[in-house]
Amino acid sequence: AGGRSFPDCSPLGGFSRRPGPVCFVQFGGRESKSGTCLSCCCSPTMARCLLVLAAMLLASLAYTHAQGSCRSGPGTNIALGMKASQSSNYRTFGASKGVDGNKNTRFSNGGCTHTNSETNPWWSVDLGSSKSIGTIVLTNRGDCCGNRLNNIEIYIGDISSKTGGTQNPALTGSPFKGQVAQGGRRAYMANGMKGRYVYIRLPGSRKILTLCEVEISEYCPMPCYNLARQSIPTQSSTGWGGYAD
C-alpha cells in the first residue's frame, strides 16, 4: 500500500502519492543513510515495478563490478600521507607538506611546500602502485604569491623522474597550462589516466613552486540513473485520471 517512505534514501527513494501497489527493495542494511536504497512506484500493476527494479539491480551490479578496481572508494584522497618529492627544498618546506592533510593557505601555518627559485621546479607523489586517476585537486597559497601556480603542467605515469615527469603522459595529452587562484582550490579531471606517479611542474626560469595541498582520488565510474523515474511527481490538478506519475 502507498504512504510508506524512506526519507534517508532520497533521491532514489520515491513513492506515488495516490493509493496503489508499491514495491521496494533495499541494499546495505537498515533504513538509514549508511545504506543504499532502490525503490519504485507501481501503478496500476506490479509489472512496471518489477521492470524498474530489474533495471536498477543490473545497474547496481554494474557499479559493484566497476568498483572492484577502485579499492579506496570514490572521493578518498589516495595521496594523503604518501611519499612525495620535489626538485629542491626551501628551508624545511619539503614535498611532504603537500600531502599532510593541512589545507591552510597561510604559509606561516607551516603546511605548504616551497622549492628554491630555479628552472622548471616540480613536485611529485608516489601512489605506491599504478592507479586510475579521477581528480587532482590543488590548493594554492593564499597570503601571497598566487602566481606560483600559473601555467602549471601535470603529468601522470609509471616513470619515476628527476626532471618533472615529462617522460609520462601529460594530463591532456600535451603540456597542460593550468592555474589555481591565490588562496583557491581547483580540481583537474584525469578521467581514468593511469599511473603510479603524479607530477606537477612549473616551466620557466627563476620559478618557485608552492603547493598547500594536493588531493588525488581514484577514477570510480558510476552508473547513470534516471532519478526522475523514482521521484515523487506533482502537478497543479488531476483530471480524467491523468495522475502526475
Side-chain angles (χ1 to χ4, degrees):
R4 188 174 183 182
S5 63
F6 300 99
D8 287 345
C9 298
S10 107
L12 289 182
F15 294 88
S16 177
R17 290 182 180 276
R18 68 191 181 92
V22 175
C23 61
F24 64 91
V25 64
Q26 179 181 350
F27 299 94
R30 295 177 297 177
E31 301 160 10
S32 68
K33 293 181 180 179
S34 63
T36 301
C37 302
L38 305 179
S39 59
C40 68
C41 304
C42 305
S43 176
T45 69
M46 192 65 73
R48 173 185 167 193
C49 178
L50 295 176
L51 288 173
V52 173
L53 282 177
M56 296 181 76
L57 179 58
L58 288 174
S60 177
L61 292 174
Y63 173 60
T64 300
H65 176 74
Q67 289 289 81
S69 60
C70 182
R71 298 175 183 176
S72 64
T76 300
N77 179 11
I78 60 175
L80 183 64
M82 301 301 287
K83 182 180 179 180
S85 58
Q86 60 187 19
S87 52
S88 64
N89 294 331
Y90 173 73
R91 297 184 179 177
T92 60
F93 303 100
S96 63
K97 293 184 180 294
V99 288
D100 61 359
N102 182 358
K103 302 175 189 176
N104 192 299
T105 62
R106 290 190 62 83
F107 190 75
S108 60
N109 185 262
C112 301
T113 71
H114 196 301
T115 68
N116 294 321
S117 178
E118 58 187 326
T119 299
N120 303 330
W122 55 267
W123 178 96
S124 74
V125 62
D126 180 354
L127 300 175
S129 61
S130 189
K131 309 284 188 183
S132 294
I133 307 300
T135 59
I136 301 169
V137 181
L138 307 182
T139 301
N140 197 3
R141 180 174 174 174
D143 54 328
C144 84
C145 317
N147 60 354
R148 292 178 182 174
L149 287 187
N150 285 358
N151 298 318
I152 56 171
E153 298 172 353
I154 300 176
Y155 297 89
I156 301 171
D158 292 325
I159 300 175
S160 178
S161 168
K162 296 296 183 182
T163 59
T166 54
Q167 300 93 329
N168 293 304
L171 184 64
T172 59
S174 60
F176 165 79
K177 306 298 183 183
Q179 69 179 56
V180 185
Q182 181 169 317
R185 299 175 70 233
R186 184 170 179 180
Y188 295 96
M189 308 302 294
N191 296 319
M193 285 184 67
K194 291 186 177 181
R196 174 174 176 172
Y197 303 96
V198 175
Y199 284 85
I200 299 164
R201 180 175 181 265
L202 183 60
S205 60
R206 292 187 293 178
K207 297 289 187 179
I208 296 173
L209 179 61
T210 296
L211 294 157
C212 288
E213 194 67 16
V214 178
E215 302 163 82
I216 300 173
S217 65
E218 281 192 85
Y219 180 67
C220 301
M222 297 282 287
C224 296
Y225 293 111
N226 181 357
L227 298 181
R229 292 190 64 178
Q230 273 56 250
S231 298
I232 302 176
T234 59
Q235 61 188 23
S236 57
S237 62
T238 300
W240 303 97
Y243 293 98
D245 62 352

